[in-house]
Amino acid sequence: MTTHFRLIFTTCADVSEARSIAEQLVKLKLAACVNILPNVESVYMWQGEVAYATECKLLIKTKSEKMNELIQTIKQLHSYEIPEIQVIDVATGNLAYFNWMDEVLN
């Protein structure tokens, strides 16, 4: 079973920003659901130096046709100069959940 759903990952500076972005994505019907995972430790290169941050990870569930608008909305709302945005194709899963997503995102 191939689906038309996507799972999008991003990180946020703190829970307040994560909640704000999640709420807007759901209100705009760009996401059916957003999970917020607080206190994610990140280690990355920034401006030639190793950087460390405690962030929040968002797991965003959407349909493929909403993906481009969702990505643009994240970029507009995000505090980071270059926000992480990664997209994973959802190959299969619970059909009842996918039906719920279709209903919510219409």
Side-chain angles (χ1 to χ4, degrees), residues 7-106:
L7 179 60
I8 299 177
F9 293 94
T10 192
T11 50
C12 294
D14 55 40
V15 173
S16 177
E17 180 178 46
R19 286 182 180 149
S20 176
I21 290 173
E23 182 178 330
Q24 285 302 309
L25 295 176
V26 170
K27 279 183 177 178
L28 293 170
K29 292 192 174 195
L30 296 175
C33 176
V34 180
N35 300 116
I36 300 172
L37 307 176
N39 300 319
V40 174
E41 292 292 321
S42 298
V43 180
Y44 54 95
M45 291 297 294
W46 184 249
Q47 299 177 342
E49 301 287 331
V50 175
Y52 303 86
T54 300
E55 302 176 294
C56 293
K57 177 72 80 176
L58 300 184
L59 286 74
I60 305 161
K61 290 86 168 218
T62 193
K63 295 165 73 168
S64 57
E65 59 264 26
K66 305 249 181 193
M67 186 181 61
N68 290 332
E69 185 178 355
L70 187 147
I71 288 170
Q72 289 307 311
T73 302
I74 290 172
K75 288 179 180 180
Q76 290 170 359
L77 297 173
H78 214 288
S79 65
Y80 290 175
E81 182 179 337
I82 305 172
E84 169 201 5
I85 300 173
Q86 298 183 45
V87 179
I88 297 175
D89 293 340
V90 177
T92 190
N94 181 355
L95 183 58
Y97 187 80
F98 296 145
N99 289 337
W100 169 80
M101 285 181 64
D102 271 330
E103 183 180 310
V104 169
L105 293 173
N106 283 332

